[in-house]
Amino acid sequence: MRRLLVLIVVLTVVPGFPVHRSATREGGSRAIVHAQEGHPLVGTWHGTWGPNVTERHDVTLVLEFDGKAITGMMNPGPDSVRFDKVTLEPSTWTVRMEATPKGNPRPAPIVIEVTIQDITNRYRSLVGTWTQGAVKGEFKASRDS
């Protein structure tokens, strides 16, 4: 325990103690370095969609990124719907998600087109439209922590 305390004191108090170059500012003062969060879509999102203010439907999205592709599903559980395709346009932070629900008779495909709002906030949101066949409505979801 004492060795740990000495190490902490040396790292925080002793001027000129060698620190990795990327963790210092000009003049040798120390800077706080924060870890990057990862892909802006990864995580669980909760929200609603609907054709008007009174007719709203709850929706949960779970999105993942494997380093190459964005994948995920809507409403995890026995009635979940996996996304067929998810695309992100990083220059405008727009996202298009396409899914084909299961069922008989086959339900119309779902297309969600959104913009990532407040991209630097860990509780960022997705705002846009939900289209399923002839039904089109407003879509809003916020990311969980």
Side-chain angles (χ1 to χ4, degrees):
M1 183 68 174
R2 182 178 171 158
R3 288 181 185 170
L4 179 61
L5 181 59
V6 170
L7 179 61
I8 291 170
V9 168
V10 167
L11 290 175
T12 58
V13 176
V14 176
F17 189 84
V19 178
H20 190 273
R21 188 173 197 69
S22 65
T24 61
R25 294 183 182 149
E26 289 184 32
S29 65
R30 295 171 194 265
I32 297 173
V33 179
H34 297 281
Q36 291 185 351
E37 186 176 312
H39 196 280
L41 286 174
V42 169
T44 303
W45 302 75
H46 288 96
T48 62
W49 78 273
N52 56 54
V53 178
T54 57
E55 187 180 342
R56 305 299 297 170
H57 306 277
D58 290 333
V59 63
T60 299
L61 307 179
V62 179
L63 298 172
E64 300 168 345
F65 180 65
D66 65 6
K68 294 181 183 178
I70 304 165
T71 58
M73 71 175 75
M74 286 184 286
N75 300 326
D79 296 325
S80 67
V81 178
R82 295 212 58 83
F83 288 112
D84 301 322
K85 185 177 180 182
V86 180
T87 55
L88 167 67
E89 175 52 54
S91 64
T92 57
W93 294 115
T94 55
V95 182
R96 181 180 170 96
M97 297 172 260
E98 301 173 20
T100 307
K102 301 172 205 154
N104 196 8
R106 191 170 211 63
I110 298 168
V111 176
I112 304 170
E113 294 178 310
V114 294
T115 301
I116 304 174
Q117 304 289 314
D118 204 5
I119 189 75
T120 59
N121 188 335
R122 77 177 315 165
Y123 304 107
R124 61 189 66 104
S125 57
L126 303 173
V127 178
T129 58
W130 169 298
T131 306
Q132 187 169 12
V135 178
K136 186 172 185 173
E138 177 188 59
F139 177 91
K140 289 183 181 180
S142 295
R143 194 176 81 161
D144 294 349
S145 61

